[in-house]
Structure formats: structure tokens, C-alpha cells
Amino acid sequence: MTKLLAGLCLAAVTFSAAAEPFKVCADPLNPPYSSKQQDGFENKIAELFAKELGQPLEYTWFPQRIGFIRNTLTAPVNDKEVDSKVFKCDVVMNVPDGSDMTLTTQPYYRSTYVLLIAKGRGWDDITDTKQLVLMPLQRQEKLQIAMFDRSPGTTWMQKNGLLDQGIPYQSMSGDEDNNIAMQLDKDLKAKKIDMVIVWGPLAGYIISQSPKNSYNIIPMVSSQGIQFEFSMAMGVRNGDKDRKAMLDKLIQAKAADIRKIIESYNIPLLDLPKAPQKKADDD
């Protein structure tokens, strides 16, 4: 009888743990990262993790702009319960490694900014970013390069005297019907711009929306004190060390599957830097 009761208790605990959802904070319209249709690479990785944990996948949707973390990851389910330990969601699937907005996992991919050039516009000979700087002024004046506020691409253009050829865009548009990748795709097709220095995942989305070989892709190389390559991680609430440890184990165990998912979105990937070896007294 005692064994039977113990077995029933164990089954109840297992069922309870399995029923607890894997709660993700995400943008409802942010290709190629996430969408309500759950067709972004964040969605696919979240689905992979939830399946591995045997948990149902649950989303809290909020546009990824100023206030995203405050309105999702650190927002209690009941706003009136100031000391509540139950939050709307528990994991942000894509944050810069070491972000101070969250406690970050180990990085799970690394990408770079690229110069994306639409073919057939008179720029097919460009194979190196230096050519933009060194070309004759008469030709240089015809350039139409999309540029963003607070972007390393804009800093690069400024340092190389190309700001006059830049067409400004906001990193966060506030448009409910388009995210920045969608807008760039439309404007490139409409020939409002011919090229853009853009973060790898956004470049991947733009490439995926056109026939193969529609663009030349030139990786930007960090120089002149400008960094173009960045590692990305997942984020949990500061202090949520157990969840971070659980995600770190999944990132390690499913590294090949994660890379396969991200590569399927045409995202340029770089090797992740090797983690420094821990000393015996680091623990």
C-alpha cells in the first residue's frame, strides 16, 4: 500500500512538472525571429526546447521595442500583486550575450552585419566594402544605402564619408504591419534603396523573400574600432539561475539542431568563441 501511494505521488509530481508551460516572451510580428504564426527561428527553437522538456509551449506577445522586458519577462501575471512570483513569461529567446537587461545564457549563435546589394542595379562589380569608399565621386553620389540609428553600419559610413549617400531608417519602426526587415524587403524591391548594411538575421529574411541569387552578400569585418560580429543568447530574469542552467544544458545538448534551424533561415553564422576555461576556484 505504501509503495502504491508513493507511486501515485511520483506520478502526480511528474504530471505537474510536465504540465507546467514553457513560457516565452516574443514579438507577434518580427520576422525572421518570431510571429504569431510561430514560423520564426525563435519559435522553432522554443518548440524544440518545449518538446525536449515535455512541456506545452505558451507565448506572451508584445512588440519588441522600448518596454519589452518590463511588459513581458518581469511583468507579474497579476499586476496588483507587487510581490508576485508568477510572471507572464520566463524566457526571451534572443538577446545580446551579456545584456544587462536580463540574465543571459551561454550564447547559442553568432552572426555578423553584412552589406546586402540588390543585383542588376549597376553595383554587381562590388565585392568588397572598400570599393564603395574608393570609387569615383560621380559614381559614389548615385549610391542609395539604407542606414539605421545607433548602428555600426552607420558609424562605418560616417567614418568613410558616405553619410550623404545614406537613406535613414529607424531600428524600431512602431509600424504594426511591418517590422524593419519587411520594410527593407519592400523598399529594395521598389528600388527606393539599392543596398543596406544590415544585421545577419534581417539579411537572411530579405534573401528568403526573393529568388535565389537576387543579392550579393558581403560580410562586414570589424575594424576602425567598429564591431560587426555579435554573439546572441537567451535571457531570463536576473537571479533566475536555475532556469538559466536548464537552458544552458539544452543549448549544449541541442547545438546541432539549433544551428540547423538557424541556417535554414539563410542567416550567416560564425563560429562561437570558445568559452574560457574555468579555474578550480571559479565555482
Side-chain angles (χ1 to χ4, degrees):
M1 186 66 177
T2 304
K3 289 183 178 179
L4 177 60
L5 287 172
L8 289 171
C9 289
L10 179 60
V13 170
T14 304
F15 176 80
S16 176
E20 179 187 341
F22 186 72
K23 299 196 297 184
V24 174
C25 323
D27 190 317
L29 184 67
N30 194 27
Y33 301 100
S34 62
S35 78
K36 275 196 172 180
Q37 288 70 43
Q38 300 186 34
D39 54 8
F41 74 84
E42 288 183 15
N43 301 121
K44 300 303 180 186
I45 296 170
E47 184 180 329
L48 173 71
F49 280 17
K51 184 177 180 181
E52 188 70 15
L53 293 168
Q55 296 177 336
L57 181 57
E58 180 181 296
Y59 282 98
T60 292
W61 301 108
F62 194 86
Q64 194 151 8
R65 54 181 72 113
I66 294 172
F68 177 74
I69 298 296
R70 184 179 70 251
N71 286 283
T72 57
L73 187 67
T74 60
V77 170
N78 187 340
D79 294 335
K80 295 179 181 179
E81 294 182 11
V82 180
D83 297 324
S84 174
K85 301 299 181 184
V86 182
F87 298 89
K88 290 182 178 179
C89 48
D90 301 319
V91 183
V92 179
M93 297 300 294
N94 196 60
V95 297
D97 181 31
S99 168
D100 58 6
M101 296 288 289
T102 69
L103 175 63
T104 56
T105 64
Q106 66 182 69
Y108 68 98
Y109 78 95
R110 184 175 178 84
S111 189
T112 183
Y113 279 75
V114 300
L115 174 62
L116 194 67
I117 306 174
K119 289 186 177 180
R121 310 273 181 89
W123 309 107
D124 293 359
D125 61 311
I126 304 297
T127 57
D128 190 305
T129 56
K130 292 177 183 177
Q131 290 173 259
L132 298 182
V133 182
L134 300 175
M135 67 175 55
L137 184 60
Q138 188 174 4
R139 188 184 185 202
Q140 192 182 81
E141 288 175 346
K142 296 177 182 177
L143 289 168
Q144 298 181 94
I145 311 174
M147 64 182 189
F148 301 90
D149 50 318
R150 302 186 302 278
S151 162
T154 301
T155 303
W156 181 88
M157 289 172 64
Q158 183 179 23
K159 284 198 171 186
N160 287 284
L162 292 171
L163 279 186
D164 287 344
Q165 283 67 53
I167 298 177
Y169 284 77
Q170 291 184 341
S171 300
M172 298 179 183
S173 68
D175 187 337
E176 293 183 359
D177 299 317
N178 290 285
N179 84 325
I180 193 60
M182 296 166 71
Q183 190 62 55
L184 286 171
D185 175 53
K186 290 179 180 179
D187 289 355
L188 281 161
K189 287 174 177 172
K191 299 185 179 180
K192 292 181 180 180
I193 51 176
D194 294 326
M195 59 188 76
V196 57
I197 299 173
V198 67
W199 175 231
L202 303 187
Y205 172 80
I206 295 167
I207 292 164
S208 71
Q209 301 304 299
S210 296
K212 194 174 181 181
N213 296 321
S214 294
Y215 293 95
N216 283 329
I217 308 147
I218 304 171
M220 300 297 293
V221 179
S222 295
S223 63
Q224 303 179 53
I226 307 171
Q227 182 179 351
F228 287 110
E229 305 93 5
F230 296 92
S231 298
M232 305 302 291
M234 298 175 194
V236 298
R237 282 177 295 280
N238 287 312
D240 195 355
K241 295 182 179 179
D242 289 344
R243 199 179 312 274
K244 166 185 153 49
M246 178 266 290
L247 291 171
D248 281 339
K249 288 179 181 178
L250 283 170
I251 288 169
Q252 289 181 349
K254 295 296 177 181
D257 293 322
I258 292 170
R259 187 177 183 92
K260 187 176 179 180
I261 288 170
I262 298 174
E263 284 179 336
S264 72
Y265 287 77
N266 297 302
I267 296 170
L269 290 177
L270 305 175
D271 290 337
L272 285 163
K274 290 185 178 180
Q277 294 288 333
K278 280 190 175 183
K279 297 178 182 179
D281 58 356
D282 283 349
D283 296 327

